[in-house]
Amino acid sequence: MLVGYLPCYEGGNFASYSSKLDFTKMTHLNLAFGNPPKCDGVCTAKSNMDFGIKGESDADVDSFVTAAHAAGVKVLISIGGGGGDQLILQFYNAGLSDALVASLDKYVIAHKLDGVDVDIEDPSNMGAPFGVFVKTVVDKFRPRGLLITAAVAKYMQDSMPDSALHQFDFINVMNYASYAGALTQMEFYSINKKVPKNEIVLGVPFFGSNTSDTKEEDYATILAAYPNAWKVDMVGGGLMDDGQAFNYVGEDTMAKETLLGKQYGGIMIWQLLSDAPAPHSLLKVIQKNF
């Protein structure tokens, strides 16, 4: 599988991206992020649970889904997201999983989506309520043949019930660091968590983080500031961000990680819009080695 996340906050819209994205070898695209509104106070059964993707009209979403389907690519709505996960857990912590999933189902049906990607990244708000929510999602969508996937990482697994982890069709492992880290995380899920290897997808970054992990820059921005950045996995000392050092995945490491992902379920990209143009596109490196 080759899974790409497509965010809604890069200055364009999904309709315009549909004519620009390279769908070559892509199998799944996750629209990030779809969420309900924040409750005004305590969430109740009367709270607004209507899902939407911020800044995207229904027509934008439909246009993109049509183009992706024409290319043979499945499209999922990714719910939650870093920070946005609070908009999901506010409901399941209030015991409102059934009502929330019913609302999610309306959105999935309306836009002819192929499933749901659960992106809850807050370990302090998982536990039993998260497990109930995942089961509710599975019970709603799996009988209709729709996909249920998740973005996961080793740091959250002590809080995520194993019963929930093993209900996903496949998991996208958020390893946005080194190749050594990728090896560790993939073995953790296959050996420690006993997830079948073909259901574990290796996440790779199209961005870099500074050494204190307090700032991120798109790979395209890094390459523009350091034209030879594609040769290595760390740059610094230039004009970008006062010369801070940034770690990322350059071309050689991306090729190695792609080959590693092929030994499992494939590769996931966060996120497609951060890539650099040819001749140093990381997506092209993945496609070449996939």
Side-chain angles (χ1 to χ4, degrees), residues 13-269:
N13 58 53
F14 289 154
S16 66
Y17 299 149
S18 63
S19 62
K20 299 174 183 176
L21 281 181
D22 180 0
F23 292 115
T24 305
K25 296 190 178 180
M26 198 70 63
T27 60
H28 303 77
L29 282 163
N30 293 340
L31 303 183
F33 291 99
N35 286 306
K38 190 178 188 307
C39 294
D40 183 12
V42 178
C43 295
T44 71
K46 294 182 179 180
S47 298
N48 182 358
M49 301 184 200
D50 292 343
F51 275 78
I53 299 176
K54 187 176 181 180
E56 301 291 335
S57 69
D58 288 341
D60 288 333
V61 175
D62 291 341
S63 177
F64 183 84
V65 172
T66 298
H69 283 170
V73 180
K74 295 183 182 297
V75 185
L76 289 75
I77 180 173
S78 185
I79 61 173
D85 51 8
Q86 304 298 316
L87 300 173
I88 301 296
L89 61 86
Q90 65 177 343
F91 287 104
Y92 72 59
N93 280 339
L96 295 168
S97 288
D98 286 340
L100 183 63
V101 173
S103 178
L104 177 60
D105 187 36
K106 291 179 182 177
Y107 192 88
V108 168
I109 292 172
H111 296 291
K112 299 181 174 62
L113 296 168
D114 300 292
V116 175
D117 176 64
V118 179
D119 192 344
I120 304 297
E121 301 180 21
D122 182 358
S124 65
N125 277 284
M126 287 187 168
F130 175 85
V132 171
F133 174 69
V134 170
K135 185 178 186 305
T136 306
V137 171
V138 169
D139 289 348
K140 175 66 72 174
F141 295 109
R142 181 156 294 145
R144 305 208 307 270
L146 299 181
L147 291 168
I148 305 96
T149 68
V152 302
K154 187 177 178 181
Y155 77 85
M156 67 175 65
Q157 288 312 141
D158 286 344
S159 302
M160 180 187 293
D162 283 353
S163 59
L165 176 66
H166 287 276
Q167 290 192 70
F168 299 116
D169 291 295
F170 62 86
I171 55 173
N172 298 304
V173 180
M174 296 183 288
N175 177 77
Y176 302 143
S178 64
Y179 179 77
L183 285 170
T184 297
Q185 289 225 50
M186 301 302 270
E187 290 177 357
F188 170 77
Y189 281 101
S190 64
I191 297 172
N192 297 67
K193 289 298 180 181
K194 296 180 172 54
V195 178
K197 291 183 73 171
N198 66 341
E199 297 176 8
I200 308 171
V201 177
L202 174 61
V204 298
F206 280 10
F207 69 92
S209 300
N210 62 3
T211 51
S212 60
D213 206 25
T214 57
K215 186 173 180 59
E216 296 177 354
E217 292 287 2
D218 289 351
Y219 176 68
T221 302
I222 293 171
L223 195 62
Y226 299 93
N228 290 321
W230 60 274
K231 298 180 179 181
V232 291
D233 297 331
M234 187 171 118
V235 292
L239 297 177
M240 186 184 78
D241 295 318
D242 300 318
Q244 293 184 68
F246 278 79
N247 297 286
Y248 56 97
V249 174
E251 289 191 15
D252 287 348
T253 302
M254 187 62 74
K256 285 178 62 178
E257 293 199 2
T258 302
L259 295 175
L260 175 62
K262 284 178 67 177
Q263 298 175 35
Y264 290 83
I267 289 290
M268 173 272 279
I269 299 162

